């Protein structure tokens, strides 16, 4: 749990089953999100991560079970960057301001609203991009614009769908630091990610989802071979490096025919892609 987290529940799902048309996507899901928590939802493609975020956000009805929401809870939902039309002709400032004025035309934005937008852009370190067209932003900058829009409502809970998909390692660190900082200041965050090592292993709580909740807890407990295999239906190894779990894809191709002139190698049977260059102890 994050230092700022406590047991005050913001949102809770009990026995939630839901889906699209007749097919259930989530089955009997129990999940409670508390004030100040930082939670990562992981699972294979199609596991229901986005669906779970939609249920938490209240934008999807459930077929069975209950959704509890703390009265007056302020939350914001940040969709995947890829799902947005970035060629829409607005600047960063206008794009963020539009979230603030809720459909009123921009010229009528008040001085206070404009000041608030400027403050949020500065907080996210994109104040100097205010007049830039949103089309001309990098993936990390686009993500900041999204977060800026979300923060304007001063949410207590931020729901984010794959905030680091498609960004390089430096931007991933940047986004993670930014989210960590917001969480330190009391914002509860629930995000989905495909990045087990770069994101999930760094979070205080990880939920492994594949239609059902397969595991829920600290990464050290949840990122285990057993839980991951049940979540992904694929075999994975988990090593520990610097006290952190490191998940290794243990996919092996069929052994190639040995080359007649090859020198014997002590690890000839190991997949080179499956061995990170770390001195690590294996975990069960
Ligand atoms: N609007 C929709 N209408 C019908 N089926 C949908 C809809 N959205 C998602 N699904 C289906 O629900 C299942 C879960 O989808 P969801 O988007 O929640 O998965 P996900 O875990 O977010 O996957 P990914 O990692 O690819 O984003 C998938 O089988 C998907 O095809
Ligand atoms: Mg998704």
């Amino acid at each position: 749990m994050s230092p700022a987290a406590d047991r005050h529940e913001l949102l809770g799902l009990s026995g939630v089953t839901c889906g699209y048309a007749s097919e259930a996507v989530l089955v009997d899901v129990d999940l409670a999100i508390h004030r100040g928590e930082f939670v990562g939802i992981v699972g294979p493609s199609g596991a229901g991560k986005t669906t779970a975020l939609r249920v938490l956000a209240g934008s999807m009805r459930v077929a069975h079970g209950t959704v509890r929401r703390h009265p007056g809870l302020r939350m914001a939902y940040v969709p995947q960057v890829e799902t947005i039309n970035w060629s829409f002709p607005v600047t960063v400032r206008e794009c963020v301001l539009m979230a603030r004025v809720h459909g009123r035309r921009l010229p009528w934005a008040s001085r206070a609203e404009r000041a608030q937008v400027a403050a949020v852009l500065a907080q996210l370190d994109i104040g100097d991009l205010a007049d830039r067209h949103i089309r001309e932003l990098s993936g990390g900058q686009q993500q900041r614009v999204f977060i800026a829009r979300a923060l304007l409502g001063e949410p207590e809970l931020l729901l984010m769908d794959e905030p680091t998909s498609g960004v390089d390692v430096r931007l991933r660190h940047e986004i993670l630091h930014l989210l960590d900082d917001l969480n330190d200041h009391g914002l509860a965050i629930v995000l989905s990610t495909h990045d087990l090592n770069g994101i999930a292993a760094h979070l205080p709580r990880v939920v492994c989802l594949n239609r059902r909740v397969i595991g829920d807890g600290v990464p050290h407990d949840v990122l285990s071979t057993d839980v991951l295999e049940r979540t992904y239906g694929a075999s994975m190894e988990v090593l520990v490096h610097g006290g952190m779990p490191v998940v290794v894809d243990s996919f092996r191709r069929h052994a190639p025919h040995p080359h007649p002139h090859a020198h014997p190698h002590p690890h000839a049977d190991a997949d080179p892609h499956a061995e990170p260059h770390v001195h690590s102890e294996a975990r069960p």
Side-chain angles (χ1 to χ4, degrees):
M1 198 194 305
S2 322
D6 62 31
R7 291 285 99 191
H8 175 98
E9 185 183 274
L10 298 179
L11 269 181
L13 310 183
S14 288
V16 163
T17 294
C18 71
Y20 306 91
S22 57
E23 213 193 323
V25 171
L26 298 179
V27 179
D28 200 18
V29 167
D30 291 334
L31 185 64
I33 307 299
H34 303 94
R35 191 155 60 192
E37 271 198 304
F38 197 164
V39 184
I41 302 179
V42 301
S45 213
K49 301 181 296 297
T50 298
T51 304
L53 289 172
R54 285 190 190 132
V55 171
L56 289 171
S59 62
M60 200 163 146
R61 276 222 302 242
V62 304
H64 300 285
T66 52
V67 180
R68 300 180 300 277
R69 183 167 303 121
H70 190 259
L73 173 67
R74 293 187 310 279
M75 65 177 154
Y77 178 71
V78 179
Q80 256 187 272
V81 166
E82 288 86 20
T83 61
I84 295 303
N85 174 11
W86 288 97
S87 61
F88 195 66
V90 289
T91 64
V92 167
R93 179 186 289 108
E94 288 164 345
C95 178
V96 177
L97 200 50
M98 280 156 74
R100 183 68 188 83
V101 299
H102 301 301
R104 274 186 291 129
R105 300 208 16 217
L106 290 185
W108 281 274
S110 70
R111 187 185 288 245
E113 285 165 341
R114 289 175 188 277
Q116 199 190 358
V117 168
V120 168
L121 293 181
Q123 181 191 356
L124 298 183
D125 216 17
I126 47 173
D128 55 339
L129 300 179
D131 294 314
R132 181 119 24 120
H133 191 291
I134 58 168
R135 179 178 57 210
E136 297 155 5
L137 301 176
S138 73
Q141 290 164 342
Q142 289 177 340
Q143 195 57 258
R144 279 168 189 264
V145 171
F146 265 15
I147 296 171
R149 286 173 62 100
L151 291 184
L152 281 179
E154 297 180 5
E156 301 154 84
L157 172 63
L158 187 60
L159 304 168
M160 303 188 79
D161 204 0
E162 297 192 32
T164 60
S165 76
V167 307
D168 69 19
V169 63
R170 193 180 59 83
L171 282 176
R172 189 185 73 209
H173 286 175
E174 222 181 280
I175 293 169
L176 199 53
H177 279 140
L178 171 64
L179 294 179
D180 222 19
D181 202 37
L182 293 169
N183 178 246
D184 277 347
H185 286 85
L187 179 66
I189 301 173
V190 179
L191 57 79
S192 70
T193 180
H194 280 285
D195 191 343
L196 294 173
N197 294 320
I199 302 287
H202 297 270
L203 302 181
R205 178 178 166 200
V206 177
V207 173
C208 287
L209 185 74
N210 193 346
R211 302 184 66 224
R212 299 170 179 272
V213 173
I214 315 286
D216 182 351
V218 294
H220 192 270
D221 294 337
V222 170
L223 300 181
S224 67
T225 47
D226 172 50
V227 173
L228 291 170
E229 286 187 22
R230 283 194 287 132
T231 305
Y232 288 89
S235 125
M236 300 195 189
E237 284 175 47
V238 182
L239 311 172
V240 176
H241 175 59
M244 303 258 299
V246 178
V247 180
V248 180
D249 176 0
S250 58
F251 171 77
R252 281 157 210 243
R253 289 171 57 201
H254 294 300
H257 296 297
H259 193 280
H261 305 299
H263 295 291
H265 188 278
H267 299 294
D269 61 342
D271 176 357
H273 300 296
E275 288 205 303
H277 299 286
V278 292
H279 296 288
S280 310
E281 38 178 305
R283 294 186 68 207

